[in-house]
Amino acid sequence: MTPDELSQALSTALASAVADGALALPADAVPASVHVERPRQREHGDWATNVALQLAKKAGTSPRALAEELAGRLGATPGIQAVHVAGPGFLNITLDAAAAGELARTIVETGAAYGRGDSEAGKRVNLEFVSANPTGPIHIGGVRWAAVGDSLARVLEASGAEVAREYYFNDHGAQIDRFARSLLARARGAAAPEDGYGGQYISEIADAVIADALAAGEPDPRELPDVEAQEVFRARGVDRMFTEIKASLHDFGVDFDVYFHEDSLHESGAVDRAVARLRDAGRMFEKDGATWLRTTEFGDDKDRVVLKSDGEAAYIAGDIAYYLDKRERGFDEVIIMLGADHHGYVGRMMAVCAAFGDTPGTNLQLLIGQMVNLVKDGQPVRMSKRAGTVVTLEDLVDAVGVDAARYSLARSSVDSTIDLDLDLLTRATNENPVYYVQYAHSRTCAVDRNAADRAVSRQDGFDPSLLDHATEAALLGRLTEFPRIVAQAAELREPHRVARYLEALAGDYHTWYQQKDRRVLPYPDEAVQDVHRTRLWLNDAVRQVLANGLALLGVTAPERM
């Protein structure tokens, strides 16, 4: 029996109590589904619900009396072994072994679809993440967003949403000019500008720009006048740098559906259209020769200049136009993932959202991620050999590999600063979380291989009532939770919930595996029985859920380790 089936049984019991007059509850107050959850203490049963406490007042009775009424009706439900009323009116429900064990077959037969749902169905979501400026390699903060953002996209898609992964390509503004001047200076053997960029990659990009120009039959850009030379290094350098960024992300398992160029906002007139729309809505005003947006009317700490007194667009103008552009492209929800230094950005952008008549927190959602610290040999890692000033995506992958990097960055809430121990992440020990989960999957695969060698097959017999050990009940209970964990991760925008779930599942599996009387394989002098075949179903159900969960995090599920 799945949680959904139990939820439906509870709803049916409530409806029948109302229909025969045992419960004075308005018919429209009977919920279509009843929330059930795993009790904190295993001895309290398989599932628990507080529905009696929620509905007692409407029913004109005490929570305990309502709970006892439901307990009597549920007791006769096939698959339910016992129902106990606890405290003021909690219901603790224990399933019989056969009903619980049937889940193993359900999972195996459902396959890769197990855990997928429709809680986010009907939503078109624009998810913007990473969006590192094309002035250097992706630093460790951007790598965290690559891992978390792609995992969130996968979780949302698994929950029924239509997701567009978008990268905001910032190719407009002063930082691009500084990048071009830095390339030109390096190419000419001069010192980098005081406000410019350093690192080995600047030399690499500068050399590539020269080689590309010469290969195209163009003049050596070093010999052009400064203005022309800087433009060549800007155009070719940005293109080269962004090509490297996209390649690095692809190798990290992250690809985008849309690469949106900031320049297009200004070239297409999108900024002017956004300003005109807000002006028509009465949200703009003139002051000191500048055009302002009344963001204080929507909770911002001050009004914002959109067009400066010289007619130039302020920085927020591009943000306004970009948000409107996404909404006009038909996205119901715009999610933007930002670094820890963007807290001040939240209030103004939520005000922009409200100024357009949208709902902050729904149509626009901003996720702020905290810092990542790397540690090796007990000491902080602070500098990249290539970038010179920051640790990059390539540095992390070179140190621990893609799987360990993605998993370790996605397994913590983005609200928390994380310290990644590079030595730990390369160890083949249970202290390494990604190894712990992947090893559990490879162990299930090893059991499968050994079962085939011993002629133990799922095709020959399945008796779920034989899964009656405490470790099997715990394992089945954990497997049952997976669809709900995925839905919660999508709803709360917290893919780390999937990783923590997988670690708990791996722990339950290892505990079950180590029970000598729960063997999948018969002893050499023992005949293959249904109990061995049935346990193989459970083993394979764990294998499927581990694989499904790791896929949501963009991490491989190895068959051998």
Side-chain angles (χ1 to χ4, degrees), residues 241-274:
M241 191 72 256
F242 196 54
T243 297
E244 284 196 15
I245 288 173
K246 287 195 285 188
S248 296
L249 288 168
H250 175 76
D251 292 342
F252 197 58
V254 179
D255 293 293
F256 289 85
D257 303 298
V258 178
Y259 292 95
F260 191 97
H261 290 252
E262 182 185 9
D263 255 350
S264 68
L265 292 171
H266 301 272
E267 295 172 357
S268 68
V271 170
D272 294 335
R273 291 196 301 274

Side-chain angles (χ1 to χ4, degrees), residues 387-557:
T389 55
V390 295
V391 178
T392 69
L393 187 159
E394 288 82 0
D395 296 325
L396 181 58
V397 170
D398 286 346
V400 303
V402 171
D403 280 348
R406 284 192 63 130
Y407 188 94
S408 59
L409 289 168
R411 73 181 291 266
S412 297
S413 168
V414 296
D415 295 332
S416 61
T417 298
I418 54 177
D419 296 321
L420 296 187
D421 187 331
L422 301 182
D423 298 312
L424 173 65
L425 293 176
T426 57
R427 291 181 198 149
T429 66
N430 289 344
E431 288 74 29
N432 178 353
V434 66
Y435 174 84
Y436 187 64
V437 174
Q438 288 184 317
Y439 180 67
H441 182 269
S442 69
R443 176 174 267 180
T444 66
C445 296
V447 168
D448 270 344
R449 291 192 296 270
N450 293 333
D453 292 341
R454 300 289 295 277
V456 179
S457 169
R458 292 199 318 261
Q459 307 305 317
D460 299 326
F462 176 67
D463 182 357
S465 68
L466 297 174
L467 300 175
D468 56 1
H469 192 268
T471 59
E472 290 162 343
L475 196 49
L476 288 163
R478 189 76 67 186
L479 291 169
T480 304
E481 293 176 353
F482 183 58
R484 183 169 295 171
I485 292 294
V486 176
Q488 287 178 342
E491 177 189 4
L492 301 174
R493 308 327 191 211
E494 294 180 345
H496 72 273
R497 291 174 176 267
V498 175
R500 297 307 173 119
Y501 166 83
L502 293 176
E503 290 165 34
L505 175 59
D508 289 337
Y509 177 75
H510 290 312
T511 299
W512 174 67
Y513 180 88
Q514 291 161 3
Q515 303 300 311
K516 292 183 179 179
D517 61 345
R518 297 289 107 181
R519 289 170 54 89
V520 173
L521 305 181
Y523 287 103
D525 57 350
E526 183 183 10
V528 176
Q529 302 174 47
D530 281 350
V531 69
H532 303 115
R533 302 180 185 102
T534 300
R535 289 173 189 159
L536 183 60
W537 279 90
L538 180 56
N539 177 85
D540 291 357
V542 174
R543 175 184 181 179
Q544 187 66 64
V545 173
L546 287 170
N548 292 357
L550 287 168
L552 291 177
L553 301 175
V555 176
T556 63

Side-chain angles (χ1 to χ4, degrees), residues 80-394:
I80 294 180
Q81 177 178 307
V83 184
H84 297 288
V85 178
F90 293 99
L91 281 171
N92 292 330
I93 303 165
T94 301
L95 305 180
D96 64 39
E102 189 63 40
L103 178 67
R105 178 158 55 188
T106 298
I107 291 172
V108 173
E109 291 178 346
T110 304
Y114 183 71
R116 302 183 73 87
D118 59 3
S119 59
E120 301 290 318
K123 296 180 181 178
R124 294 194 68 223
V125 179
N126 181 284
L127 179 59
E128 180 196 336
F129 60 104
V130 184
S131 296
N133 289 336
T135 55
I138 298 175
H139 61 74
I140 191 64
V143 183
R144 183 179 194 178
W145 277 140
V148 175
D150 188 60
S151 297
L152 177 56
R154 292 166 185 253
V155 166
L156 288 169
E157 289 171 336
S159 299
E162 178 186 340
V163 181
R165 297 162 174 82
E166 185 150 315
Y167 190 114
Y168 185 56
F169 183 16
N170 191 340
D171 53 354
H172 180 89
Q175 77 279 5
I176 299 297
D177 293 335
R178 294 198 300 272
F179 177 61
R181 292 199 304 273
S182 301
L183 294 175
L184 177 56
R186 185 65 60 90
R188 288 177 171 174
E194 188 173 334
D195 61 349
Y197 296 92
Q200 178 184 333
Y201 78 96
I202 289 293
S203 293
E204 294 171 358
I205 297 295
D207 290 344
V209 168
I210 295 169
D212 289 347
L214 295 177
E218 299 173 4
D220 187 329
R222 292 170 294 185
E223 299 173 0
L224 296 173
D226 288 353
V227 173
E228 294 179 37
Q230 184 172 319
E231 176 55 28
V232 172
F233 279 98
R234 186 200 68 78
R236 288 191 176 276
V238 166
D239 182 67
R240 269 277 180 174
M241 191 72 256
F242 196 54
T243 297
E244 284 196 15
I245 288 173
K246 287 195 285 188
S248 296
L249 288 168
H250 175 76
D251 292 342
F252 197 58
V254 179
D255 293 293
F256 289 85
D257 303 298
V258 178
Y259 292 95
F260 191 97
H261 290 252
E262 182 185 9
D263 255 350
S264 68
L265 292 171
H266 301 272
E267 295 172 357
S268 68
V271 170
D272 294 335
R273 291 196 301 274
V275 170
R277 179 162 169 174
L278 291 171
R279 183 178 282 118
D280 291 343
R283 308 303 190 196
M284 310 291 286
F285 68 96
E286 307 296 323
K287 178 183 173 183
D288 300 330
T291 300
W292 299 64
L293 177 61
R294 299 182 190 277
T295 51
T296 52
E297 291 184 3
F298 305 100
D300 196 9
D301 58 345
K302 62 182 180 180
D303 293 326
R304 304 288 174 174
V305 174
V306 178
L307 298 177
K308 303 175 186 178
S309 56
D310 61 2
E312 288 294 314
Y315 188 82
I316 195 175
D319 294 333
I320 292 170
Y322 188 33
Y323 172 72
L324 180 60
D325 177 86
K326 290 180 178 182
R327 293 286 282 130
E328 289 181 337
R329 279 187 270 151
F331 293 106
D332 309 300
E333 298 182 4
V334 173
I335 303 175
I336 305 176
M337 309 178 83
L338 301 167
D341 56 345
H342 283 73
H343 281 285
Y345 187 79
V346 175
R348 75 190 71 170
M349 281 309 297
M350 289 304 179
V352 167
C353 171
F356 280 119
D358 287 345
T359 303
T362 299
N363 299 115
L364 177 62
Q365 302 163 41
L366 302 179
L367 305 181
I368 303 293
Q370 297 303 314
M371 301 294 291
V372 179
N373 302 312
L374 299 185
V375 177
K376 184 172 177 59
D377 300 325
Q379 299 297 318
V381 178
R382 300 190 183 279
M383 189 172 294
S384 166
K385 293 180 180 179
R386 183 169 184 252
T389 55
V390 295
V391 178
T392 69
L393 187 159
E394 288 82 0

